[in-house]
Amino acid sequence: MILHLDKHTPQELIEKTVVDFDARFFCKEKYIALVTSSAIKNIPHYLAPYTLQDWVFDDDIQLSSSQYKPSRHTITLGKNAIGGDSGNMIIMAGPCAVESYEQMDACCHYLKTEGINVLRAGCFKPRTSPYTFQGLGEKGLEIMVEMRKKYDMAIVTEARDASNVDIVIENADIVQIGTKSMFDYALLAACGDCNKPILLKRNYGATLREYLQSAEFIMSRGNENVILCERGIRSFEHNTRYTLDLCGVAWLKEHTSLPIIVDPSHAMGIAYGIPDLARAATAMGIDGLLIETHPNPEIARSDSRQQLAPEAFSAMIKSIKRVAKAIDRHVV
Ligand code: PEP
Ligand code: MN
């Protein structure tokens, strides 16, 4: 159950609800939001006089649900907003990992030429093998901060774990939680305690319900600026890296109010299929795309097979714009 309480609700009553019902609460400008398990269907009697509005749910998908907020949340990412009635579809692009100043500079140069305003690259890389490139860490973040200034772009990078979440929150405009960290509750809590937009990637083995429960962990601490990102789930098929779950995207569009971004790069894992998937996802009326691109994919230190070369990236952007226009979306 979600309650919107009057700002003058006595603190001891809120604290009593937290203890009695394992509730969570956070303060907004005009109300205090209090969230209990969905098993609770009635307003605690002592809160009734202070309740402005209440919502009852079938399950614990509450703050993220379209039942609570029927229209898509508006979230501002740098110069542009997504969601609400913005009609915008944002492109977040960049290499898998920051490798050097020169690589990022070359990349930003062509991204800007294509009108891209959000630079995405990894500094703290969650790699499957310890014998592969783990990212430049803080040095990489410094390079991204320099790129933000030089090219006037918003920057998004992944907080891999509790050892780097604070520095990423401090420096990035948008904080990414990667597929492997979707169940990392310390990370979710830290992201819930800040007010930066959080790009929450779906774990490749998570159901949609588990995915939204992770979003609820962030939102129930007060940060409602969560962006969902479908990036492929593991299926029986191994010719492609993962399977892009566009059925899941349709389900999320219907059942949640959170902006939805699609990442065809990690789903496909091979450059040739990515423009097709990007166009298919665009046609669904999503809020954005995450695309990996590298000035010279052949020498990329991670995910080299899936990063688009500059020419392929440019051709993809042109074709996406045509699809977006056909459904009255504006690529930003
Ligand atoms: C990434 O976005 O660079 C990344 C590692 O993605 P994922 O967490 O989806 O594998
Ligand atoms: Mn990658």
Side-chain angles (χ1 to χ4, degrees):
M1 179 173 222
I2 299 177
L3 302 179
H4 281 188
L5 300 174
D6 189 285
K7 292 285 266 189
H8 300 103
T9 308
Q11 188 63 24
E12 61 272 21
L13 293 186
I14 294 175
E15 274 157 26
K16 179 172 164 52
T17 324
V18 168
V19 174
D20 290 356
F21 296 96
D22 294 317
R24 301 209 58 90
F25 74 94
F26 55 90
C27 298
K28 302 293 278 188
E29 200 188 330
K30 297 195 173 127
Y31 57 86
I32 298 166
L34 190 131
V35 193
T36 70
S37 147
S38 56
I40 310 299
K41 307 287 185 194
N42 297 304
I43 302 170
H45 64 89
Y46 50 85
L47 287 179
Y50 303 100
T51 303
L52 306 172
Q53 209 174 343
D54 68 284
W55 292 261
V56 175
F57 296 88
D58 293 335
D59 62 25
D60 280 357
I61 308 306
Q62 303 188 90
L63 292 163
S64 59
S65 77
S66 46
Q67 186 188 336
Y68 176 50
K69 289 199 176 156
S71 60
R72 218 151 283 288
H73 285 211
T74 302
I75 301 186
T76 303
L77 308 172
K79 308 186 216 327
N80 298 107
I82 55 169
D85 52 13
S86 69
N88 285 339
M89 185 182 87
I90 204 153
I91 311 285
M92 303 180 174
C96 180
V98 177
E99 297 168 4
S100 67
Y101 182 95
E102 293 70 26
Q103 168 236 18
M104 293 302 289
D105 199 38
C107 191
C108 289
H109 194 76
Y110 68 83
L111 291 180
K112 273 311 258 195
T113 312
E114 295 301 333
I116 307 299
N117 294 307
V118 182
L119 172 66
R120 197 219 65 114
C123 305
F124 302 95
K125 297 297 298 173
R127 303 308 302 281
T128 305
S129 166
Y131 310 117
T132 54
F133 180 53
Q134 306 293 306
L136 294 183
E138 287 188 33
K139 173 79 189 123
L141 199 49
E142 279 167 26
I143 295 173
M144 286 197 84
V145 168
E146 286 183 58
M147 293 299 131
R148 167 171 55 203
K149 194 159 172 221
K150 180 164 178 189
Y151 291 95
D152 189 23
M153 297 172 92
I155 58 174
V156 47
T157 195
E158 178 166 353
R160 187 186 54 210
D161 52 54
S163 71
N164 43 65
V165 66
D166 291 339
I167 185 168
V168 171
I169 288 173
E170 191 182 321
N171 289 283
D173 300 299
I174 304 147
V175 179
Q176 177 176 322
I177 297 183
T179 195
K180 292 173 184 147
S181 312
M182 192 204 90
F183 292 111
D184 182 330
Y185 299 105
L187 262 191
L188 298 174
C191 290
D193 290 338
C194 76
N195 58 12
K196 294 251 162 115
I198 309 298
L199 180 66
L200 177 64
K201 294 188 116 185
R202 179 182 181 186
N203 175 267
Y204 50 71
T207 64
L208 293 164
R209 195 156 297 286
E210 288 165 334
Y211 183 30
L212 290 183
Q213 283 176 321
S214 283
E216 294 277 330
F217 266 95
I218 301 171
M219 300 177 82
S220 61
R221 298 179 84 94
N223 187 356
E224 296 184 281
N225 297 319
V226 176
I227 304 161
L228 300 174
C229 179
E230 161 59 29
R231 48 77 68 206
I233 53 175
R234 184 150 276 166
S235 74
F236 53 80
E237 182 53 65
H238 297 291
N239 281 307
T240 56
R241 193 175 180 189
Y242 294 93
T243 298
L244 187 63
D245 185 11
L246 293 183
C247 294
V249 171
W251 189 92
L252 292 169
K253 274 183 69 186
E254 180 69 16
H255 293 279
T256 86
S257 58
L258 302 177
I260 301 164
I261 301 257
V262 171
D263 168 3
S265 298
H266 289 87
M268 182 72 195
I270 319 165
Y272 67 76
I274 292 160
D276 284 349
L277 293 173
R279 281 188 293 273
T282 300
M284 293 180 75
I286 53 167
D287 301 287
L289 285 167
L290 188 165
I291 305 287
E292 283 195 344
T293 174
H294 190 289
N296 186 356
E298 277 175 24
I299 58 162
R301 297 184 72 184
S302 57
D303 286 352
S304 73
R305 287 212 311 160
Q306 71 193 36
Q307 303 202 56
L308 298 185
E311 311 72 47
F313 180 78
S314 168
M316 187 202 65
I317 294 294
K318 283 189 186 65
S319 71
I320 282 172
K321 283 185 176 161
R322 288 202 294 272
V323 176
K325 192 164 174 228
I327 57 157
D328 292 329
R329 288 261 165 174
H330 183 58
V331 176
V332 291

